Amino acid sequence: MPGDELTHKLWLAVSDHGQDVGHDRNHAGHSPMTPAGYRIPLLLWQSGHVPTPDAHALEQRPVRADWLADLLLPRLGITLPGADSARDALSDDYRWQPPVLPIAVANYLD
């Protein structure tokens, strides 16, 4: 259809909380005091050809939910003052910075 090339489609699924499922202790459920309580799944799909780092590199890349605007807005063609490509997990400029949490998290990928 004419004009379809201008239509961008993006789908995002992200959990609103982590879930402790007994990997580190005998507990299942919400846990604000374990690393599992802060790790959340994120699924992102976008239509069209989208240049990104290779898939394996992305699987190993932690993403911060509080930085999602810096990831999503460029994919939607939106630019804002103060946007930071170093916080865009799909950018070559991405630079991970651990968040300040009330617990110590040694590895954000386990």
Side-chain angles (χ1 to χ4, degrees):
M1 275 189 136
D4 277 349
E5 64 277 358
L6 300 177
T7 303
H8 298 285
K9 296 168 182 73
L10 186 126
W11 181 85
L12 172 74
V14 63
S15 177
D16 66 337
H17 61 80
Q19 185 76 10
D20 196 332
V21 293
H23 291 288
D24 299 318
R25 64 187 185 128
N26 187 16
H27 175 78
H30 292 243
S31 176
M33 298 312 291
T34 65
Y38 290 93
R39 292 187 184 111
I40 57 175
L42 181 140
L43 300 169
L44 176 69
W45 174 88
Q46 183 176 355
S47 63
H49 174 72
V50 182
T52 60
D54 76 75
H56 181 71
L58 287 177
E59 290 174 7
Q60 302 303 313
R61 189 175 279 187
V63 177
R64 291 180 48 169
D66 59 330
W67 288 358
L68 284 180
D70 290 295
L71 185 150
L72 292 173
L73 294 178
R75 266 122 221 112
L76 298 171
I78 300 170
T79 56
L80 293 177
D84 188 351
S85 62
R87 298 188 320 187
D88 174 357
L90 298 178
S91 168
D92 290 333
D93 297 335
Y94 185 63
R95 300 293 175 264
W96 169 254
Q97 294 177 8
V100 176
L101 300 175
I103 63 163
V105 177
N107 184 344
Y108 286 86
L109 299 174
D110 289 335

